[in-house]
Amino acid sequence: MIRQCDEGKFEIIHSIINDAAQAYKRVIPVDCWKEPYMSKDELRHEMDEGVVFWGYEEDGELVGVMGFQHIQDVTLIRHAYVRTTRRNQVIGEKLLSFLREQTTRPILIGTWADAAWAIRFYERHNFRLVPSEEKDRLLRKYWSIPERQVETSVVLADQEWFDSH
Ligand SMILES: CC(C)(COP(=O)(O)OP(=O)(O)OC[C@H]1O[C@@H](n2cnc3c(N)ncnc32)[C@H](O)[C@@H]1OP(=O)(O)O)[C@@H](O)C(=O)NCCC(=O)NCCS
């Protein structure tokens, strides 16, 4: 079952993010890795900035989350994480399909350039990498992330975004 996460899910969202983000360890540049990957303060900040989390629940237990942020003329998919033990069981696919139906705006997704599996996951769902010069502009326009993360990230966009550019 997919539903919007309420405030009561804060701790479990935080736990899922930091469990799933272990995938980045020793993959993304060392200076971009920290533990925990996302602090509670950072998560709180993201929510205060308008990231709304949707969760996939099984037997009443949250096992995957995906954030959604409407910003200016686009929708960003932020912080997509499925519990490590539940990976590759189509939970990410279900969350992504569900969220795509919730917006009529073009969708953009940012991820680490070194997270090859994540890029492949989105490409398999018809998102395409935005050319390098353009992705820096987009990351600065729609995301609030450090310049080092801009350098080391890529942006994927859906067909609607490409059609309008
Ligand atoms: C990326 C992520 C959110 C995808 O969620 P997921 O639930 O694992 O995704 P799915 O099961 O829908 O699909 C993942 C892969 O499993 C494969 N798969 C799907 N169903 C499967 C099954 N029943 N058995 C085995 N493999 C399966 C898919 O082919 C897919 O392969 P791909 O890498 O070629 O796309 C999740 O793996 C994750 O949290 N990763 C770590 C953090 C991360 O990278 N987040 C993205 C940052 S934006």
Side-chain angles (χ1 to χ4, degrees):
M1 177 189 291
I2 294 174
R3 60 175 152 202
Q4 195 171 323
C5 299
D6 59 23
E7 182 54 35
K9 295 281 193 274
F10 183 88
E11 295 290 331
I12 181 94
I13 294 171
H14 183 251
S15 149
I16 290 172
I17 289 175
N18 285 300
D19 167 54
Q22 290 295 321
Y24 298 143
K25 201 173 179 176
R26 289 187 279 274
V27 174
I28 63 172
V30 272
D31 60 311
C32 296
W33 171 258
K34 59 185 171 38
E35 210 144 356
Y37 176 74
M38 188 184 289
S39 69
K40 288 186 184 173
D41 284 349
E42 286 168 307
L43 177 58
R44 171 64 58 210
H45 177 76
E46 292 294 86
M47 291 170 152
D48 289 346
E49 290 294 305
V51 177
V52 173
F53 282 93
W54 289 76
Y56 186 92
E57 282 181 23
E58 224 168 49
D59 300 328
E61 190 196 350
L62 196 62
V63 290
V65 293
M66 232 175 239
F68 212 41
Q69 187 176 23
H70 302 299
I71 183 156
Q72 299 173 42
D73 51 339
V74 300
T75 297
L76 307 181
I77 289 186
R78 308 281 319 273
H79 312 304
Y81 292 101
V82 171
R83 270 226 187 272
T84 307
T85 53
R86 302 305 312 276
R87 209 174 278 161
N88 293 337
Q89 293 169 27
V90 215
I91 294 169
E93 178 171 318
K94 287 180 184 157
L95 278 166
L96 184 61
S97 306
F98 177 87
L99 289 191
R100 291 178 89 167
E101 286 168 14
Q102 312 303 310
T103 185
T104 52
R105 304 182 194 195
I107 300 176
L108 297 176
I109 305 173
T111 192
W112 297 105
D114 289 330
W117 66 86
I119 296 172
R120 199 171 57 235
F121 169 75
Y122 294 120
E123 284 180 335
R124 213 165 50 78
H125 293 96
N126 301 321
F127 284 83
R128 279 189 286 141
L129 282 166
V130 169
S132 177
E133 333 72 68
E134 182 70 354
K135 68 97 183 164
D136 287 352
R137 190 186 68 79
L138 294 173
L139 287 165
R140 293 190 187 108
K141 180 173 180 187
Y142 296 116
W143 279 260
S144 301
I145 54 174
E147 196 53 27
R148 176 74 175 131
Q149 196 174 344
V150 170
E151 277 170 32
T152 51
S153 295
V154 292
V155 174
L156 295 108
D158 66 358
Q159 190 57 45
E160 193 178 338
W161 186 86
F162 279 100
D163 287 347
S164 57
H165 286 82

